Amino acid sequence: MSEFVLATANPDKAREFAGVLGPGVSLLPRPAALGEVAETGETLLDNARLKAQAVVAATGLPAVADDTGLEVDGLGGAPGVRSSRYAGEGASYAANVAALLRALAGAGEAGRRARFRTVVLAAWPGGREVVAEGVVEGSIVLEPRGAGGFGYDPVFVPDGCGGRTFAEMDPDEKNAVSHRGRALRAFAAALGDAGRGERPGRGRRP
Ligand code: ITT
């Protein structure tokens, strides 16, 4: 079984990691003593790597990180890599959602098209990495709806799910179509492929 220290400090993300990866991947908690890692990267990949490498350096163990952004067409792709601090450093989910709705006031359907993108990156001591990405397309609604999920979920309606926001879905429904669900399933498949490649005589079938 693969074992990783979970590099995210966000308990809402941690719940989704466990829900999607299931018992085949063991997730150890992030050391409480490790302070927040400054997300100074220009891209989701840079920030995922910063978070994973900080945990590898602190623990000497393999670590897995997630960096996620909401990209809104009418805002030129913002908040993107700045999604957690769109309304300022340390902003609450509600403040970020309110700032997003304010920025989109008056925007039409095209401007409200959006996608969530997640980059999952695992790092090992010694420099090995496995990276996976997941994207879900959708749109931003006018008013928050639903009590589930977290972050921007009350204002994001994924395509093909009957017009419900992520916050109106149960966790399994969200994970089945979400950016993070997709990234984590691709990640688990990449781990499986890497494992098969390392065992002689068990390569991929042609
Ligand atoms: P870590 O860095 O500790 O992993 P974080 O919350 O700071 O936690 P990010 O830098 O990836 O994570 O910030 C992304 C922000 O985007 C997050 O704070 C939420 O506001 C939002 N977000 C991320 N995943 C989301 C999801 O599945 N649904 C809704 N909003 C999400």
Side-chain angles (χ1 to χ4, degrees), residues 7-10 13 16 30 39 44 47 51 66-70 80-81 83-85 93 96 116 118 149-154 166 174 178-180:
T8 177
N10 180 327
K13 285 186 183 180
E16 294 189 355
R30 187 178 192 274
E39 297 190 28
L44 299 177
N47 284 337
K51 290 187 265 192
D66 158 316
D67 205 54
T68 295
L70 174 65
V81 73
S83 292
S84 66
R85 50 205 144 101
Y93 290 153
N96 282 331
F116 274 115
T118 289
F150 67 97
Y152 298 94
D153 282 347
F166 269 151
K174 178 185 171 188
S178 78
H179 45 300
R180 184 164 297 103

PDB file of all heavy atoms in Angstrom, residues 7-10 13 16 30 39 44 47 51 66-70 80-81 83-85 93 96 116 118 149-154 166 174 178-180, ligand 1:
ATOM      1  N   ALA A   7      -0.155  16.823   2.719  1.00  0.00           N
ATOM      2  CA  ALA A   7       0.470  18.137   2.894  1.00  0.00           C
ATOM      3  C   ALA A   7      -0.540  19.268   3.005  1.00  0.00           C
ATOM      4  O   ALA A   7      -0.164  20.397   3.313  1.00  0.00           O
ATOM      5  CB  ALA A   7       1.436  18.410   1.736  1.00  0.00           C
ATOM      6  N   THR A   8      -1.817  18.993   2.741  1.00  0.00           N
ATOM      7  CA  THR A   8      -2.790  20.084   2.848  1.00  0.00           C
ATOM      8  C   THR A   8      -3.135  20.363   4.312  1.00  0.00           C
ATOM      9  O   THR A   8      -3.264  19.434   5.116  1.00  0.00           O
ATOM     10  CB  THR A   8      -4.085  19.788   2.062  1.00  0.00           C
ATOM     11  OG1 THR A   8      -5.004  20.869   2.272  1.00  0.00           O
ATOM     12  CG2 THR A   8      -4.753  18.499   2.495  1.00  0.00           C
ATOM     13  N   ALA A   9      -3.273  21.654   4.632  1.00  0.00           N
ATOM     14  CA  ALA A   9      -3.692  22.048   5.982  1.00  0.00           C
ATOM     15  C   ALA A   9      -5.188  22.304   6.015  1.00  0.00           C
ATOM     16  O   ALA A   9      -5.728  22.754   7.019  1.00  0.00           O
ATOM     17  CB  ALA A   9      -2.925  23.316   6.399  1.00  0.00           C
ATOM     18  N   ASN A  10      -5.865  22.014   4.900  1.00  0.00           N
ATOM     19  CA  ASN A  10      -7.300  22.304   4.787  1.00  0.00           C
ATOM     20  C   ASN A  10      -8.107  21.020   5.057  1.00  0.00           C
ATOM     21  O   ASN A  10      -8.074  20.086   4.254  1.00  0.00           O
ATOM     22  CB  ASN A  10      -7.571  22.844   3.365  1.00  0.00           C
ATOM     23  CG  ASN A  10      -9.024  23.179   3.132  1.00  0.00           C
ATOM     24  OD1 ASN A  10      -9.907  22.524   3.673  1.00  0.00           O
ATOM     25  ND2 ASN A  10      -9.270  24.184   2.316  1.00  0.00           N
ATOM     26  N   LYS A  13     -10.444  19.669   2.272  1.00  0.00           N
ATOM     27  CA  LYS A  13      -9.751  18.925   1.217  1.00  0.00           C
ATOM     28  C   LYS A  13      -9.361  17.539   1.717  1.00  0.00           C
ATOM     29  O   LYS A  13      -9.470  16.552   0.983  1.00  0.00           O
ATOM     30  CB  LYS A  13      -8.464  19.648   0.813  1.00  0.00           C
ATOM     31  CG  LYS A  13      -8.623  20.872  -0.034  1.00  0.00           C
ATOM     32  CD  LYS A  13      -7.205  21.298  -0.422  1.00  0.00           C
ATOM     33  CE  LYS A  13      -7.118  22.536  -1.206  1.00  0.00           C
ATOM     34  NZ  LYS A  13      -5.707  22.869  -1.523  1.00  0.00           N
ATOM     35  N   GLU A  16     -11.981  15.001   1.395  1.00  0.00           N
ATOM     36  CA  GLU A  16     -12.200  14.545   0.015  1.00  0.00           C
ATOM     37  C   GLU A  16     -11.074  13.611  -0.439  1.00  0.00           C
ATOM     38  O   GLU A  16     -11.324  12.644  -1.162  1.00  0.00           O
ATOM     39  CB  GLU A  16     -12.348  15.754  -0.918  1.00  0.00           C
ATOM     40  CG  GLU A  16     -13.627  16.541  -0.603  1.00  0.00           C
ATOM     41  CD  GLU A  16     -13.970  17.634  -1.607  1.00  0.00           C
ATOM     42  OE1 GLU A  16     -13.173  17.899  -2.547  1.00  0.00           O
ATOM     43  OE2 GLU A  16     -15.035  18.251  -1.442  1.00  0.00           O
ATOM     44  N   ARG A  30      -0.788  15.769   8.500  1.00  0.00           N
ATOM     45  CA  ARG A  30       0.280  16.780   8.409  1.00  0.00           C
ATOM     46  C   ARG A  30       0.764  17.103   9.823  1.00  0.00           C
ATOM     47  O   ARG A  30      -0.074  17.324  10.716  1.00  0.00           O
ATOM     48  CB  ARG A  30      -0.317  18.025   7.755  1.00  0.00           C
ATOM     49  CG  ARG A  30       0.634  19.123   7.410  1.00  0.00           C
ATOM     50  CD  ARG A  30      -0.156  20.237   6.732  1.00  0.00           C
ATOM     51  NE  ARG A  30       0.712  21.229   6.117  1.00  0.00           N
ATOM     52  CZ  ARG A  30       1.221  22.270   6.758  1.00  0.00           C
ATOM     53  NH1 ARG A  30       0.945  22.459   8.033  1.00  0.00           N
ATOM     54  NH2 ARG A  30       2.001  23.128   6.121  1.00  0.00           N
ATOM     55  N   GLU A  39       2.559  30.295  -0.188  1.00  0.00           N
ATOM     56  CA  GLU A  39       2.260  29.861  -1.560  1.00  0.00           C
ATOM     57  C   GLU A  39       2.696  30.953  -2.520  1.00  0.00           C
ATOM     58  O   GLU A  39       1.891  31.723  -3.029  1.00  0.00           O
ATOM     59  CB  GLU A  39       0.780  29.508  -1.678  1.00  0.00           C
ATOM     60  CG  GLU A  39       0.439  28.329  -0.776  1.00  0.00           C
ATOM     61  CD  GLU A  39      -0.958  27.769  -1.006  1.00  0.00           C
ATOM     62  OE1 GLU A  39      -1.479  27.881  -2.133  1.00  0.00           O
ATOM     63  OE2 GLU A  39      -1.501  27.211  -0.050  1.00  0.00           O
ATOM     64  N   LEU A  44      -0.409  26.611 -10.086  1.00  0.00           N
ATOM     65  CA  LEU A  44      -0.880  25.575  -9.157  1.00  0.00           C
ATOM     66  C   LEU A  44       0.206  24.525  -8.960  1.00  0.00           C
ATOM     67  O   LEU A  44       0.428  24.047  -7.838  1.00  0.00           O
ATOM     68  CB  LEU A  44      -2.149  24.918  -9.712  1.00  0.00           C
ATOM     69  CG  LEU A  44      -3.366  25.821  -9.921  1.00  0.00           C
ATOM     70  CD1 LEU A  44      -4.517  25.014 -10.538  1.00  0.00           C
ATOM     71  CD2 LEU A  44      -3.832  26.456  -8.613  1.00  0.00           C
ATOM     72  N   ASN A  47       2.894  25.724  -6.551  1.00  0.00           N
ATOM     73  CA  ASN A  47       2.448  25.751  -5.148  1.00  0.00           C
ATOM     74  C   ASN A  47       2.250  24.346  -4.585  1.00  0.00           C
ATOM     75  O   ASN A  47       2.554  24.094  -3.418  1.00  0.00           O
ATOM     76  CB  ASN A  47       1.169  26.579  -5.009  1.00  0.00           C
ATOM     77  CG  ASN A  47       1.459  28.065  -5.071  1.00  0.00           C
ATOM     78  OD1 ASN A  47       2.570  28.501  -4.794  1.00  0.00           O
ATOM     79  ND2 ASN A  47       0.469  28.852  -5.455  1.00  0.00           N
ATOM     80  N   LYS A  51       4.321  22.938  -1.279  1.00  0.00           N
ATOM     81  CA  LYS A  51       3.664  22.342  -0.096  1.00  0.00           C
ATOM     82  C   LYS A  51       4.161  20.917   0.137  1.00  0.00           C
ATOM     83  O   LYS A  51       4.454  20.533   1.272  1.00  0.00           O
ATOM     84  CB  LYS A  51       2.138  22.366  -0.279  1.00  0.00           C
ATOM     85  CG  LYS A  51       1.556  23.772  -0.213  1.00  0.00           C
ATOM     86  CD  LYS A  51       0.025  23.760  -0.226  1.00  0.00           C
ATOM     87  CE  LYS A  51      -0.560  23.954  -1.574  1.00  0.00           C
ATOM     88  NZ  LYS A  51      -2.015  24.215  -1.570  1.00  0.00           N
ATOM     89  N   ASP A  66      -2.133  19.227  -2.709  1.00  0.00           N
ATOM     90  CA  ASP A  66      -3.145  19.649  -3.690  1.00  0.00           C
ATOM     91  C   ASP A  66      -3.078  21.164  -3.771  1.00  0.00           C
ATOM     92  O   ASP A  66      -2.995  21.837  -2.747  1.00  0.00           O
ATOM     93  CB  ASP A  66      -4.511  19.180  -3.140  1.00  0.00           C
ATOM     94  CG  ASP A  66      -5.746  19.905  -3.662  1.00  0.00           C
ATOM     95  OD1 ASP A  66      -5.736  21.156  -3.753  1.00  0.00           O
ATOM     96  OD2 ASP A  66      -6.739  19.225  -3.909  1.00  0.00           O
ATOM     97  N   ASP A  67      -3.082  21.707  -4.974  1.00  0.00           N
ATOM     98  CA  ASP A  67      -3.335  23.138  -5.110  1.00  0.00           C
ATOM     99  C   ASP A  67      -4.463  23.299  -6.123  1.00  0.00           C
ATOM    100  O   ASP A  67      -4.480  22.626  -7.166  1.00  0.00           O
ATOM    101  CB  ASP A  67      -2.091  23.911  -5.544  1.00  0.00           C
ATOM    102  CG  ASP A  67      -2.187  25.367  -5.093  1.00  0.00           C
ATOM    103  OD1 ASP A  67      -2.410  25.612  -3.889  1.00  0.00           O
ATOM    104  OD2 ASP A  67      -2.065  26.271  -5.945  1.00  0.00           O
ATOM    105  N   THR A  68      -5.410  24.141  -5.786  1.00  0.00           N
ATOM    106  CA  THR A  68      -6.651  24.241  -6.554  1.00  0.00           C
ATOM    107  C   THR A  68      -6.964  25.691  -6.859  1.00  0.00           C
ATOM    108  O   THR A  68      -6.748  26.564  -6.008  1.00  0.00           O
ATOM    109  CB  THR A  68      -7.810  23.608  -5.743  1.00  0.00           C
ATOM    110  OG1 THR A  68      -7.550  22.217  -5.593  1.00  0.00           O
ATOM    111  CG2 THR A  68      -9.154  23.787  -6.441  1.00  0.00           C
ATOM    112  N   GLY A  69      -7.497  25.942  -8.048  1.00  0.00           N
ATOM    113  CA  GLY A  69      -7.925  27.288  -8.400  1.00  0.00           C
ATOM    114  C   GLY A  69      -9.252  27.269  -9.123  1.00  0.00           C
ATOM    115  O   GLY A  69      -9.587  26.302  -9.812  1.00  0.00           O
ATOM    116  N   LEU A  70     -10.008  28.335  -8.947  1.00  0.00           N
ATOM    117  CA  LEU A  70     -11.254  28.556  -9.682  1.00  0.00           C
ATOM    118  C   LEU A  70     -10.947  29.610 -10.749  1.00  0.00           C
ATOM    119  O   LEU A  70     -10.495  30.714 -10.410  1.00  0.00           O
ATOM    120  CB  LEU A  70     -12.339  29.069  -8.733  1.00  0.00           C
ATOM    121  CG  LEU A  70     -13.665  29.476  -9.390  1.00  0.00           C
ATOM    122  CD1 LEU A  70     -14.365  28.269 -10.016  1.00  0.00           C
ATOM    123  CD2 LEU A  70     -14.591  30.124  -8.353  1.00  0.00           C
ATOM    124  N   GLY A  80      -8.106  32.033  -9.833  1.00  0.00           N
ATOM    125  CA  GLY A  80      -7.005  31.136 -10.191  1.00  0.00           C
ATOM    126  C   GLY A  80      -6.142  30.754  -9.014  1.00  0.00           C
ATOM    127  O   GLY A  80      -6.638  30.309  -7.971  1.00  0.00           O
ATOM    128  N   VAL A  81      -4.845  30.976  -9.182  1.00  0.00           N
ATOM    129  CA  VAL A  81      -3.887  30.548  -8.155  1.00  0.00           C
ATOM    130  C   VAL A  81      -4.073  31.325  -6.839  1.00  0.00           C
ATOM    131  O   VAL A  81      -3.611  30.911  -5.794  1.00  0.00           O
ATOM    132  CB  VAL A  81      -2.445  30.659  -8.728  1.00  0.00           C
ATOM    133  CG1 VAL A  81      -2.002  32.100  -8.833  1.00  0.00           C
ATOM    134  CG2 VAL A  81      -1.455  29.810  -7.943  1.00  0.00           C
ATOM    135  N   SER A  83      -7.041  31.780  -5.368  1.00  0.00           N
ATOM    136  CA  SER A  83      -8.419  31.493  -4.943  1.00  0.00           C
ATOM    137  C   SER A  83      -8.608  31.532  -3.430  1.00  0.00           C
ATOM    138  O   SER A  83      -9.665  31.958  -2.952  1.00  0.00           O
ATOM    139  CB  SER A  83      -8.868  30.129  -5.478  1.00  0.00           C
ATOM    140  OG  SER A  83      -8.992  30.176  -6.880  1.00  0.00           O
ATOM    141  N   SER A  84      -7.615  31.110  -2.657  1.00  0.00           N
ATOM    142  CA  SER A  84      -7.813  31.071  -1.197  1.00  0.00           C
ATOM    143  C   SER A  84      -7.714  32.465  -0.578  1.00  0.00           C
ATOM    144  O   SER A  84      -8.137  32.681   0.543  1.00  0.00           O
ATOM    145  CB  SER A  84      -6.805  30.124  -0.533  1.00  0.00           C
ATOM    146  OG  SER A  84      -5.511  30.642  -0.671  1.00  0.00           O
ATOM    147  N   ARG A  85      -7.138  33.431  -1.325  1.00  0.00           N
ATOM    148  CA  ARG A  85      -6.962  34.784  -0.752  1.00  0.00           C
ATOM    149  C   ARG A  85      -7.533  35.847  -1.678  1.00  0.00           C
ATOM    150  O   ARG A  85      -7.018  36.964  -1.745  1.00  0.00           O
ATOM    151  CB  ARG A  85      -5.475  35.030  -0.444  1.00  0.00           C
ATOM    152  CG  ARG A  85      -4.548  34.705  -1.598  1.00  0.00           C
ATOM    153  CD  ARG A  85      -3.119  34.348  -1.136  1.00  0.00           C
ATOM    154  NE  ARG A  85      -2.572  33.308  -1.988  1.00  0.00           N
ATOM    155  CZ  ARG A  85      -1.708  33.508  -2.997  1.00  0.00           C
ATOM    156  NH1 ARG A  85      -1.229  34.712  -3.246  1.00  0.00           N
ATOM    157  NH2 ARG A  85      -1.296  32.516  -3.746  1.00  0.00           N
ATOM    158  N   TYR A  93     -14.112  31.646   3.591  1.00  0.00           N
ATOM    159  CA  TYR A  93     -14.791  31.181   2.378  1.00  0.00           C
ATOM    160  C   TYR A  93     -15.884  32.182   1.988  1.00  0.00           C
ATOM    161  O   TYR A  93     -16.041  32.526   0.814  1.00  0.00           O
ATOM    162  CB  TYR A  93     -15.455  29.821   2.630  1.00  0.00           C
ATOM    163  CG  TYR A  93     -14.537  28.637   2.805  1.00  0.00           C
ATOM    164  CD1 TYR A  93     -14.947  27.542   3.569  1.00  0.00           C
ATOM    165  CD2 TYR A  93     -13.286  28.569   2.187  1.00  0.00           C
ATOM    166  CE1 TYR A  93     -14.150  26.421   3.717  1.00  0.00           C
ATOM    167  CE2 TYR A  93     -12.479  27.443   2.340  1.00  0.00           C
ATOM    168  CZ  TYR A  93     -12.918  26.369   3.109  1.00  0.00           C
ATOM    169  OH  TYR A  93     -12.137  25.258   3.256  1.00  0.00           O
ATOM    170  N   ASN A  96     -14.591  35.326   0.357  1.00  0.00           N
ATOM    171  CA  ASN A  96     -14.138  35.085  -1.020  1.00  0.00           C
ATOM    172  C   ASN A  96     -15.324  34.960  -1.979  1.00  0.00           C
ATOM    173  O   ASN A  96     -15.296  35.507  -3.085  1.00  0.00           O
ATOM    174  CB  ASN A  96     -13.292  33.801  -1.075  1.00  0.00           C
ATOM    175  CG  ASN A  96     -11.874  34.014  -0.555  1.00  0.00           C
ATOM    176  OD1 ASN A  96     -11.332  35.109  -0.641  1.00  0.00           O
ATOM    177  ND2 ASN A  96     -11.276  32.963  -0.022  1.00  0.00           N
ATOM    178  N   PHE A 116     -13.014  24.642 -12.147  1.00  0.00           N
ATOM    179  CA  PHE A 116     -12.082  24.342 -11.069  1.00  0.00           C
ATOM    180  C   PHE A 116     -10.966  23.490 -11.638  1.00  0.00           C
ATOM    181  O   PHE A 116     -11.220  22.555 -12.415  1.00  0.00           O
ATOM    182  CB  PHE A 116     -12.764  23.507  -9.983  1.00  0.00           C
ATOM    183  CG  PHE A 116     -13.502  24.278  -8.933  1.00  0.00           C
ATOM    184  CD1 PHE A 116     -14.868  24.156  -8.810  1.00  0.00           C
ATOM    185  CD2 PHE A 116     -12.819  25.090  -8.037  1.00  0.00           C
ATOM    186  CE1 PHE A 116     -15.561  24.832  -7.821  1.00  0.00           C
ATOM    187  CE2 PHE A 116     -13.501  25.776  -7.038  1.00  0.00           C
ATOM    188  CZ  PHE A 116     -14.873  25.648  -6.933  1.00  0.00           C
ATOM    189  N   THR A 118      -7.502  21.311 -10.265  1.00  0.00           N
ATOM    190  CA  THR A 118      -6.683  20.818  -9.149  1.00  0.00           C
ATOM    191  C   THR A 118      -5.432  20.150  -9.678  1.00  0.00           C
ATOM    192  O   THR A 118      -5.511  19.328 -10.607  1.00  0.00           O
ATOM    193  CB  THR A 118      -7.459  19.768  -8.319  1.00  0.00           C
ATOM    194  OG1 THR A 118      -8.503  20.417  -7.594  1.00  0.00           O
ATOM    195  CG2 THR A 118      -6.558  19.065  -7.316  1.00  0.00           C
ATOM    196  N   GLY A 149     -20.251  20.790   0.971  1.00  0.00           N
ATOM    197  CA  GLY A 149     -18.996  21.230   0.356  1.00  0.00           C
ATOM    198  C   GLY A 149     -18.293  22.313   1.148  1.00  0.00           C
ATOM    199  O   GLY A 149     -18.468  22.447   2.364  1.00  0.00           O
ATOM    200  N   PHE A 150     -17.528  23.131   0.453  1.00  0.00           N
ATOM    201  CA  PHE A 150     -16.760  24.201   1.100  1.00  0.00           C
ATOM    202  C   PHE A 150     -16.334  25.199   0.040  1.00  0.00           C
ATOM    203  O   PHE A 150     -16.566  25.004  -1.158  1.00  0.00           O
ATOM    204  CB  PHE A 150     -15.549  23.630   1.847  1.00  0.00           C
ATOM    205  CG  PHE A 150     -14.481  23.034   0.959  1.00  0.00           C
ATOM    206  CD1 PHE A 150     -13.355  23.774   0.591  1.00  0.00           C
ATOM    207  CD2 PHE A 150     -14.606  21.741   0.477  1.00  0.00           C
ATOM    208  CE1 PHE A 150     -12.366  23.235  -0.230  1.00  0.00           C
ATOM    209  CE2 PHE A 150     -13.638  21.191  -0.342  1.00  0.00           C
ATOM    210  CZ  PHE A 150     -12.520  21.940  -0.699  1.00  0.00           C
ATOM    211  N   GLY A 151     -15.683  26.263   0.482  1.00  0.00           N
ATOM    212  CA  GLY A 151     -15.103  27.231  -0.454  1.00  0.00           C
ATOM    213  C   GLY A 151     -16.152  27.835  -1.379  1.00  0.00           C
ATOM    214  O   GLY A 151     -17.201  28.339  -0.948  1.00  0.00           O
ATOM    215  N   TYR A 152     -15.879  27.752  -2.680  1.00  0.00           N
ATOM    216  CA  TYR A 152     -16.770  28.336  -3.680  1.00  0.00           C
ATOM    217  C   TYR A 152     -17.890  27.385  -4.103  1.00  0.00           C
ATOM    218  O   TYR A 152     -18.643  27.695  -5.032  1.00  0.00           O
ATOM    219  CB  TYR A 152     -15.958  28.740  -4.921  1.00  0.00           C
ATOM    220  CG  TYR A 152     -14.894  29.797  -4.663  1.00  0.00           C
ATOM    221  CD1 TYR A 152     -13.564  29.438  -4.386  1.00  0.00           C
ATOM    222  CD2 TYR A 152     -15.208  31.156  -4.689  1.00  0.00           C
ATOM    223  CE1 TYR A 152     -12.583  30.400  -4.152  1.00  0.00           C
ATOM    224  CE2 TYR A 152     -14.246  32.127  -4.459  1.00  0.00           C
ATOM    225  CZ  TYR A 152     -12.935  31.735  -4.185  1.00  0.00           C
ATOM    226  OH  TYR A 152     -11.970  32.697  -3.945  1.00  0.00           O
ATOM    227  N   ASP A 153     -18.019  26.228  -3.434  1.00  0.00           N
ATOM    228  CA  ASP A 153     -19.030  25.245  -3.842  1.00  0.00           C
ATOM    229  C   ASP A 153     -20.450  25.808  -3.925  1.00  0.00           C
ATOM    230  O   ASP A 153     -21.203  25.426  -4.829  1.00  0.00           O
ATOM    231  CB  ASP A 153     -19.015  24.031  -2.895  1.00  0.00           C
ATOM    232  CG  ASP A 153     -17.875  23.075  -3.197  1.00  0.00           C
ATOM    233  OD1 ASP A 153     -17.256  23.199  -4.269  1.00  0.00           O
ATOM    234  OD2 ASP A 153     -17.595  22.200  -2.356  1.00  0.00           O
ATOM    235  N   PRO A 154     -20.883  26.707  -3.013  1.00  0.00           N
ATOM    236  CA  PRO A 154     -22.277  27.192  -3.096  1.00  0.00           C
ATOM    237  C   PRO A 154     -22.579  28.027  -4.343  1.00  0.00           C
ATOM    238  O   PRO A 154     -23.746  28.263  -4.644  1.00  0.00           O
ATOM    239  CB  PRO A 154     -22.431  28.053  -1.824  1.00  0.00           C
ATOM    240  CG  PRO A 154     -21.348  27.599  -0.912  1.00  0.00           C
ATOM    241  CD  PRO A 154     -20.205  27.181  -1.795  1.00  0.00           C
ATOM    242  N   PHE A 166     -22.286  22.499  -6.327  1.00  0.00           N
ATOM    243  CA  PHE A 166     -21.560  21.447  -5.590  1.00  0.00           C
ATOM    244  C   PHE A 166     -22.049  21.377  -4.137  1.00  0.00           C
ATOM    245  O   PHE A 166     -22.069  20.313  -3.533  1.00  0.00           O
ATOM    246  CB  PHE A 166     -20.057  21.723  -5.606  1.00  0.00           C
ATOM    247  CG  PHE A 166     -19.309  21.085  -6.749  1.00  0.00           C
ATOM    248  CD1 PHE A 166     -18.151  21.686  -7.251  1.00  0.00           C
ATOM    249  CD2 PHE A 166     -19.725  19.883  -7.309  1.00  0.00           C
ATOM    250  CE1 PHE A 166     -17.436  21.106  -8.289  1.00  0.00           C
ATOM    251  CE2 PHE A 166     -19.013  19.293  -8.351  1.00  0.00           C
ATOM    252  CZ  PHE A 166     -17.867  19.911  -8.844  1.00  0.00           C
ATOM    253  N   LYS A 174     -20.300  14.861  -5.477  1.00  0.00           N
ATOM    254  CA  LYS A 174     -19.301  15.875  -5.840  1.00  0.00           C
ATOM    255  C   LYS A 174     -18.008  15.189  -6.291  1.00  0.00           C
ATOM    256  O   LYS A 174     -17.461  15.508  -7.346  1.00  0.00           O
ATOM    257  CB  LYS A 174     -19.021  16.823  -4.654  1.00  0.00           C
ATOM    258  CG  LYS A 174     -17.944  17.865  -5.007  1.00  0.00           C
ATOM    259  CD  LYS A 174     -17.514  18.757  -3.857  1.00  0.00           C
ATOM    260  CE  LYS A 174     -16.289  19.583  -4.276  1.00  0.00           C
ATOM    261  NZ  LYS A 174     -15.674  20.338  -3.196  1.00  0.00           N
ATOM    262  N   SER A 178     -15.928  16.006  -9.642  1.00  0.00           N
ATOM    263  CA  SER A 178     -15.164  17.224  -9.317  1.00  0.00           C
ATOM    264  C   SER A 178     -13.730  17.168  -9.846  1.00  0.00           C
ATOM    265  O   SER A 178     -13.171  16.102 -10.117  1.00  0.00           O
ATOM    266  CB  SER A 178     -15.139  17.450  -7.799  1.00  0.00           C
ATOM    267  OG  SER A 178     -14.199  16.586  -7.192  1.00  0.00           O
ATOM    268  N   HIS A 179     -13.149  18.341  -9.948  1.00  0.00           N
ATOM    269  CA  HIS A 179     -11.727  18.561 -10.225  1.00  0.00           C
ATOM    270  C   HIS A 179     -10.844  17.684  -9.332  1.00  0.00           C
ATOM    271  O   HIS A 179      -9.955  16.990  -9.798  1.00  0.00           O
ATOM    272  CB  HIS A 179     -11.439  20.055  -9.985  1.00  0.00           C
ATOM    273  CG  HIS A 179     -12.055  20.590  -8.703  1.00  0.00           C
ATOM    274  ND1 HIS A 179     -13.414  20.551  -8.482  1.00  0.00           N
ATOM    275  CD2 HIS A 179     -11.516  21.081  -7.566  1.00  0.00           C
ATOM    276  CE1 HIS A 179     -13.684  21.024  -7.281  1.00  0.00           C
ATOM    277  NE2 HIS A 179     -12.534  21.347  -6.690  1.00  0.00           N
ATOM    278  N   ARG A 180     -11.123  17.696  -8.008  1.00  0.00           N
ATOM    279  CA  ARG A 180     -10.259  16.946  -7.080  1.00  0.00           C
ATOM    280  C   ARG A 180     -10.468  15.445  -7.255  1.00  0.00           C
ATOM    281  O   ARG A 180      -9.507  14.682  -7.227  1.00  0.00           O
ATOM    282  CB  ARG A 180     -10.562  17.378  -5.629  1.00  0.00           C
ATOM    283  CG  ARG A 180      -9.652  16.724  -4.589  1.00  0.00           C
ATOM    284  CD  ARG A 180      -9.700  17.434  -3.260  1.00  0.00           C
ATOM    285  NE  ARG A 180      -9.212  18.804  -3.376  1.00  0.00           N
ATOM    286  CZ  ARG A 180     -10.012  19.877  -3.410  1.00  0.00           C
ATOM    287  NH1 ARG A 180     -11.311  19.748  -3.257  1.00  0.00           N
ATOM    288  NH2 ARG A 180      -9.504  21.081  -3.563  1.00  0.00           N
TER     289      ARG A 180
HETATM  290  P1  ITT B   1      -3.772  24.031   1.503  1.00  0.00           P
HETATM  291  O1  ITT B   1      -2.924  25.041   0.788  1.00  0.00           O
HETATM  292  O2  ITT B   1      -3.375  23.807   2.909  1.00  0.00           O
HETATM  293  O3  ITT B   1      -3.942  22.753   0.726  1.00  0.00           O
HETATM  294  P2  ITT B   1      -5.875  25.942   0.865  1.00  0.00           P
HETATM  295  O4  ITT B   1      -7.318  26.045   1.261  1.00  0.00           O
HETATM  296  O5  ITT B   1      -5.000  27.142   1.097  1.00  0.00           O
HETATM  297  O6  ITT B   1      -5.274  24.648   1.603  1.00  0.00           O
HETATM  298  P3  ITT B   1      -5.483  26.255  -1.985  1.00  0.00           P
HETATM  299  O7  ITT B   1      -4.306  27.128  -1.867  1.00  0.00           O
HETATM  300  O8  ITT B   1      -5.465  25.187  -3.022  1.00  0.00           O
HETATM  301  O9  ITT B   1      -5.819  25.494  -0.632  1.00  0.00           O
HETATM  302  O10 ITT B   1      -6.730  27.227  -2.129  1.00  0.00           O
HETATM  303  C1  ITT B   1      -7.756  26.996  -2.932  1.00  0.00           C
HETATM  304  C2  ITT B   1      -8.990  27.719  -2.442  1.00  0.00           C
HETATM  305  O11 ITT B   1      -9.967  27.444  -3.441  1.00  0.00           O
HETATM  306  C3  ITT B   1      -9.564  27.147  -1.126  1.00  0.00           C
HETATM  307  O12 ITT B   1      -9.180  27.892  -0.024  1.00  0.00           O
HETATM  308  C4  ITT B   1     -11.071  27.245  -1.359  1.00  0.00           C
HETATM  309  O13 ITT B   1     -11.519  28.548  -1.081  1.00  0.00           O
HETATM  310  C5  ITT B   1     -11.154  27.024  -2.847  1.00  0.00           C
HETATM  311  N1  ITT B   1     -11.380  25.612  -3.155  1.00  0.00           N
HETATM  312  C6  ITT B   1     -10.456  24.619  -3.289  1.00  0.00           C
HETATM  313  N2  ITT B   1     -11.041  23.451  -3.574  1.00  0.00           N
HETATM  314  C7  ITT B   1     -12.364  23.709  -3.636  1.00  0.00           C
HETATM  315  C8  ITT B   1     -13.509  22.917  -3.871  1.00  0.00           C
HETATM  316  O14 ITT B   1     -13.418  21.607  -4.088  1.00  0.00           O
HETATM  317  N3  ITT B   1     -14.678  23.508  -3.867  1.00  0.00           N
HETATM  318  C9  ITT B   1     -14.820  24.827  -3.637  1.00  0.00           C
HETATM  319  N4  ITT B   1     -13.795  25.647  -3.380  1.00  0.00           N
HETATM  320  C10 ITT B   1     -12.579  25.094  -3.376  1.00  0.00           C
END
